[in-house]
Amino acid sequence: MILDLFFPNRCLGCNRIIEGNLLVCTLCFEQIHFTHHRYFENSYLKEKCKLLFPIEHCFSLMQFEKESLSRKIIHELKYKSREKTGKILAEWTTEKLDFKDEKPDLFVTVPLHSKKLKERGYNQLHVFTETLSEFYKIPFDHHLIKRNHYSKAQALKDKKHRLETENTFSMTTNISGKHILLIDDVFTTGNTLATIAWEILKSGNNKVSVLVMAIDI
């Protein structure tokens, strides 16, 4: 395409020109710190979650280290209007995540407030989740959880304000007897996921697992 000639796709790591459907070149891909977590095994992420709410299983694709390539990839997705990044991250996830014979019943995404959704133009989790849904043949619901208050991004908050999540979320529909996989971009303190998890658990005889693109360690 003409645009590709004037604005070629470049590797987020080294700025080399790469194919349009890639995020990084082969060399930089090797520099991404994947977690190598197993969904059914104990991990740092699972131990953190267990301190906050009853959890079944969990998975994190990458480590979210300071000045890392994984951090740059997530920021491109969230703040640089590169929504297609979600599809690529989902494809990387499918290569590493195996639900075996214990698939969740439903994928549920952490919502944005309607004001923030309008500002950003998209929820960074939607393409990611929809790609996973198609691959695993598991339905998704972007509207089961409602964010009640507008707030600035977690990354821009200090630690005190990150803990202020009471009444931030509510259920739009009561569900019961379901295994819900909560999906978010980055696990930091875990308070956002915990708040949502408790809403789901209070709604009925449900189970909660977690999937994040990256964990801040």
Side-chain angles (χ1 to χ4, degrees), residues 82-166:
R82 290 188 61 156
E83 191 176 8
K84 70 174 185 179
T85 299
K87 184 175 187 299
I88 298 172
L89 289 173
E91 290 169 352
W92 292 354
T93 300
T94 61
E95 295 172 0
K96 300 175 181 295
L97 175 59
D98 183 1
F99 293 119
K100 299 181 181 178
D101 296 324
E102 197 178 327
K103 284 186 178 182
D105 297 305
L106 185 67
F107 291 157
V108 172
T109 50
V110 173
L112 296 176
H113 188 273
S114 56
K115 182 178 178 181
K116 183 166 289 185
L117 182 61
K118 186 175 181 181
E119 290 173 354
R120 187 172 295 171
Y122 61 95
N123 183 315
Q124 71 275 8
L125 300 175
H126 286 185
V127 169
F128 177 78
T129 301
E130 290 158 18
T131 305
L132 294 178
S133 173
E134 182 178 359
F135 180 86
Y136 292 111
K137 308 303 179 188
I138 298 172
F140 63 87
D141 191 337
H142 295 321
H143 306 291
L144 181 66
I145 305 297
K146 178 184 177 183
R147 186 183 288 265
N148 299 315
H149 308 296
Y150 176 81
S151 62
K152 62 185 178 180
Q154 287 277 4
L156 303 179
K157 296 180 182 180
D158 59 34
K159 187 172 182 179
K160 176 183 176 182
H161 288 95
R162 289 184 190 181
L163 299 176
E164 296 173 356
T165 55
E166 278 192 52

Side-chain angles (χ1 to χ4, degrees), residues 50-112:
K50 283 165 64 176
L51 295 173
L52 300 170
F53 59 93
I55 186 169
E56 297 297 314
H57 311 295
C58 61
F59 176 83
S60 171
L61 178 65
M62 303 180 293
Q63 297 177 15
F64 195 69
E65 301 143 318
K66 187 176 181 180
E67 305 300 328
S68 66
L69 187 50
S70 58
R71 182 181 289 263
K72 188 170 185 178
I73 289 170
I74 298 293
H75 282 189
E76 287 286 318
L77 170 63
K78 293 180 69 172
Y79 308 120
K80 300 294 182 65
S81 300
R82 290 188 61 156
E83 191 176 8
K84 70 174 185 179
T85 299
K87 184 175 187 299
I88 298 172
L89 289 173
E91 290 169 352
W92 292 354
T93 300
T94 61
E95 295 172 0
K96 300 175 181 295
L97 175 59
D98 183 1
F99 293 119
K100 299 181 181 178
D101 296 324
E102 197 178 327
K103 284 186 178 182
D105 297 305
L106 185 67
F107 291 157
V108 172
T109 50
V110 173
L112 296 176

